[in-house]
């Protein structure tokens, strides 16, 4: 139960600290939303445990959970590409204008778009099931796109 309290407290702290430093610095500060931030660590663990405890003991598998699980290897790099594109389009300044509302919306939209693209890629790759090396090539290409986008955006 303690991890859930830490998770909720971290979400609130992330919001408050981001608001404070954004006002103090005069421009959007994303430090506390970084993946390596302690304020992201606790909510992530709490959410994982909540989902595991809520859905982990089911006798039958959910098609949605199965689709997400099968696509996770592509969801992360695709969401990074979308985030880089959003940063290049200056979407983040809109998001941080009212973070309590816009960050959850942005998060859900980013996840749904990433999942959709990942499922699409997965369906294409399923047809190439016997050629495992192609899956690795696709993954390396996706990571290369991230690198190139980071250089230019």
């Amino acid at each position: 139960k303690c991890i859930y309290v830490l998770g909720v407290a971290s979400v609130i702290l992330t919001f408050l600290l981001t608001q404070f430093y954004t006002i103090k610095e005069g421009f959007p500060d994303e430090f506390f939303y970084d993946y390596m931030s302690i304020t992201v660590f606790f909510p992530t663990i709490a959410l994982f445990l909540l989902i595991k405890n809520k859905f982990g003991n089911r006798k039958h598998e959910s098609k949605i959970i199965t689709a997400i699980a099968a696509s996770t290897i592509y969801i992360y790099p695709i969401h990074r590409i979308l985030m880089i594109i959003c940063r290049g389009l200056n979407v983040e300044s809109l998001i941080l204008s009212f973070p309590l509302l816009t960050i959850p919306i942005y998060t859900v939209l980013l996840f749904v778009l990433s999942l959709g693209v990942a499922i699409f890629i997965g369906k294409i790759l399923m047809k190439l099931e016997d050629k495992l090396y192609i899956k690795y090539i696709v993954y390396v290409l996706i990571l290369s796109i991230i690198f190139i986008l980071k250089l230019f955006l």
Side-chain angles (χ1 to χ4, degrees):
K1 306 286 180 206
C2 181
I3 190 68
Y4 298 125
V5 172
L6 283 171
V8 171
S10 291
V11 168
I12 294 167
L13 189 63
T14 299
F15 170 74
L16 293 174
L17 288 171
T18 299
Q19 287 293 96
F20 173 78
Y21 281 103
T22 296
I23 291 167
K24 182 181 174 192
E25 300 296 327
F27 59 88
D29 188 304
E30 301 173 1
F31 176 78
F32 296 102
Y33 288 102
D34 188 73
Y35 293 115
M36 301 304 285
S37 171
I38 194 71
T39 58
V40 172
F41 175 76
F42 289 116
T44 303
I45 298 300
L47 183 61
F48 170 78
L49 290 174
L50 179 69
I51 291 170
K52 179 180 173 272
N53 292 336
K54 179 105 173 124
F55 301 108
N57 298 329
R58 293 194 171 204
K59 300 286 184 224
H60 64 283
E61 292 182 9
S62 164
K63 289 184 180 183
I64 295 170
I65 300 295
T66 303
I68 293 171
S71 304
T72 53
I73 192 166
Y74 296 107
I75 290 173
Y76 177 75
I78 289 167
H79 108 277
R80 287 298 297 155
I81 291 170
L82 293 174
M83 286 180 70
I84 293 167
I85 291 170
C86 287
R87 182 171 289 140
L89 297 173
N90 205 20
V91 172
E92 290 178 347
S93 63
L94 296 172
I95 291 167
L96 292 174
S97 62
F98 190 67
L100 192 59
L101 178 65
T102 55
I103 288 176
I105 292 170
Y106 176 71
T107 301
V108 170
L109 285 174
L110 196 61
F111 175 74
V112 169
L113 285 171
S114 300
L115 178 61
V117 173
I119 289 172
F120 177 74
I121 289 172
K123 287 190 183 285
I124 292 171
L125 293 177
M126 287 297 281
K127 295 178 181 180
L128 305 169
E129 197 169 308
D130 59 330
K131 296 180 173 77
L132 185 61
Y133 66 92
I134 292 178
K135 292 181 181 184
Y136 294 115
I137 291 171
V138 169
Y139 195 73
V140 169
L141 286 174
I142 291 171
L143 294 176
S144 301
I145 291 169
I146 293 172
F147 178 74
I148 292 168
L149 285 173
K150 284 187 96 120
L151 285 176
F152 293 107
L153 295 179

